[in-house]
Amino acid sequence: MPEPATCFFDHDPAELATLFGGWGLPRYRAEQVRGWVYDKGVTDPHAMSNLPHRDRELLAERMRFTVGQIVREQQASDGTRKLLLAWPEAAAAGNAAGDASQDARTTLPVLGERDDDDLPWHTECVMIPAGDRRTACISSQVGCPVGCKFCASGLGGLEGNLSAGRIVEQVWWLNQHGGRITNVVFMGMGEPLANFAAVTRAVRTLAADWAFNLSARRITVSTVGLPAQIRRLADLELPITLAVSLHAPNDELRRTLIPWADRVSVDQLIDAGRYYFHRTGREVTLEYILLGGVNDQAQHARELARVARRLRSNINLIRYNEVAGLPFNRPRGDDVRAFQRVLREAGVNAHIRASRGRDIAAACGQLRHETRAAR
């Protein structure tokens, strides 16, 4: 039987050189191929004109350069672009990265199961333009185990983990379809720190000078709050930004919105955030989605200010993007501005994030959810 094709984005330069050497290719061929893919955006080995014909044929046979397939693409009036990717050979992708999610599962529940084994895995990635900045919002899992009550990503539960290569590949696709990416946020589908090994490997690739050469300070990892994994991330001393999805200023309200909050308190998250700042010197971002009439009132803002002042942090206020079938509403503009004003008067650095891509269902999991609902 022929040897199964290996995936380009799963390998660093040293691994590629070893792999090519085993195929009888000169090791320097790995650097040539790397240049074609990362620098020129070329993934067809037959178009790699400085390679001998024999080597191009061998690479076409033994290496898959892109695995995901674009099944839907949308562009918003504000320039935001969203891709829905289908991943064949889903089980292999998940097994390649599944080891590190087990430590999260031992202490936190996984909600939902794969809803249809006959469907391919689908994930979303988004390019958000702002002046000279092109931010990629990428997924780390297929579906989500957390099951936040207001979010479309977890409606079908967790289907599996993406490998590091499939995480990196999303940025490559967005480079081709929306301009050169300058920033990356792990705020798409999934809980990044429940896929720890794959996400941290992907971060290293994104920041490497042989790949996308992004400053680590332009990479943000967002988590609903896994204190042990936050500490593990801090100990790697990667100068990335940590964003904690808080969404409520107290445990009682947070438990009604985020099932995993039954096991992790706000106090635990604050302690982990302090540790992260101590180890990295990087201020923690607190993400707060404002849900109309639920968590957007003045008393919530006052409580949130007391929480934020306990660590070096800033707050991103996010207006909720409605999801069909979920009982939550977008907050009124006056309430959002009043919420921010309370925080700033309390000495907290709070920003209102601009809503982008509302006309193409750009919130996490929305396009995937709508595509499946239409089947």
Side-chain angles (χ1 to χ4, degrees):
M1 293 182 62
E3 181 181 345
T6 189
C7 300
F8 172 84
F9 289 109
D10 282 322
H11 300 286
D12 64 25
E15 292 167 348
L16 279 179
T18 298
L19 191 65
F20 284 14
W23 293 344
L25 301 178
R27 292 173 64 90
Y28 66 80
R29 196 73 74 217
E31 174 60 19
Q32 292 176 302
V33 172
R34 182 215 60 78
W36 281 106
V37 176
Y38 285 114
D39 299 340
K40 301 176 183 177
V42 174
T43 54
D44 177 4
H46 294 106
M48 298 177 182
S49 56
N50 61 343
L51 273 62
H53 176 77
R54 180 189 71 87
D55 293 359
R56 289 184 242 175
E57 291 294 324
L58 188 146
L59 287 174
E61 175 187 341
R62 298 195 180 183
M63 179 156 281
R64 297 183 67 178
F65 286 87
T66 55
V67 180
Q69 300 172 352
I70 298 175
V71 293
R72 287 188 69 182
E73 179 177 357
Q74 294 180 330
Q75 183 167 352
S77 56
D78 62 12
T80 299
R81 190 182 296 265
K82 172 174 269 193
L83 305 179
L84 182 67
L85 298 175
W87 301 98
E89 301 177 354
N95 290 339
D99 60 319
S101 66
Q102 297 305 313
D103 54 357
R105 295 188 185 192
T106 59
T107 57
L108 295 169
V110 174
L111 303 180
E113 297 178 353
R114 182 165 181 161
D115 46 17
D116 190 337
D117 286 339
D118 293 330
L119 293 176
W121 280 1
H122 289 99
T123 59
E124 300 173 359
C125 54
V126 182
M127 187 283 295
I128 305 168
D132 293 334
R133 176 179 295 194
R134 297 289 183 273
T135 298
C137 181
I138 60 176
S139 299
S140 55
Q141 294 182 303
V142 186
C144 185
V146 180
C148 294
K149 300 299 185 181
F150 50 82
C151 183
S153 290
L155 288 176
L158 175 68
E159 299 186 22
N161 291 310
L162 291 174
S163 70
R166 285 156 174 77
I167 294 171
V168 170
E169 187 177 326
Q170 294 171 71
V171 179
W172 185 89
W173 279 115
L174 290 172
N175 265 342
Q176 314 313 308
H177 287 257
R180 191 72 177 176
I181 294 300
T182 62
N183 299 68
V184 173
V185 293
F186 285 78
M187 294 182 183
M189 294 171 56
E191 163 52 59
L193 296 190
N195 190 12
F196 190 91
V199 165
T200 52
R201 180 179 172 94
V203 165
R204 294 185 187 281
T205 298
L206 295 172
D209 58 5
W210 49 263
F212 295 102
N213 199 28
L214 294 173
S215 166
R217 295 178 181 272
R218 291 175 174 257
I219 300 173
T220 298
V221 172
S222 177
T223 175
V224 77
L226 299 177
Q229 282 85 338
I230 289 174
R231 288 180 168 83
R232 287 178 62 193
L233 185 64
D235 289 339
L236 295 179
E237 297 185 346
L238 295 170
I240 62 175
T241 297
L242 173 70
V244 176
S245 297
L246 200 62
H247 307 325
N250 60 68
D251 290 327
E252 182 180 4
L253 179 56
R254 197 166 189 265
R255 290 182 188 120
T256 69
L257 300 175
I258 304 172
W260 278 16
D262 282 338
R263 309 286 185 91
V264 177
S265 70
V266 172
D267 283 346
Q268 289 174 301
L269 293 179
I270 295 303
D271 286 344
R274 286 173 175 161
Y275 183 83
Y276 189 87
F277 175 76
H278 173 73
R279 292 287 292 172
T280 67
R282 300 285 290 161
E283 191 174 75
V284 175
T285 296
L286 300 179
E287 302 276 321
Y288 196 96
I289 291 179
L290 291 159
L291 306 165
V294 176
N295 65 351
D296 64 341
Q297 300 304 300
Q299 68 267 25
H300 300 126
R302 288 190 289 270
E303 283 188 83
L304 181 59
R306 289 194 290 272
V307 171
R309 288 199 301 262
R310 294 169 58 193
L311 78 162
R312 285 288 298 272
S313 65
N314 65 86
I315 297 178
N316 271 347
L317 300 175
I318 307 162
R319 300 178 183 93
Y320 180 61
N321 278 339
E322 305 92 329
V323 176
L326 297 184
F328 297 97
N329 298 312
R330 189 173 175 86
R332 299 187 311 151
D334 288 346
D335 288 341
V336 174
R337 289 185 289 273
F339 198 97
Q340 181 192 39
R341 186 163 55 250
V342 171
L343 292 171
R344 288 187 167 179
E345 289 174 353
V348 175
N349 185 17
H351 305 275
I352 299 172
R353 185 189 295 173
S355 295
R356 305 298 301 272
R358 292 195 70 211
D359 51 337
I360 60 166
C364 297
Q366 280 186 283
L367 181 58
R368 172 178 176 267
H369 172 58
E370 292 175 6
T371 299
R372 290 198 164 187
R375 287 177 179 268

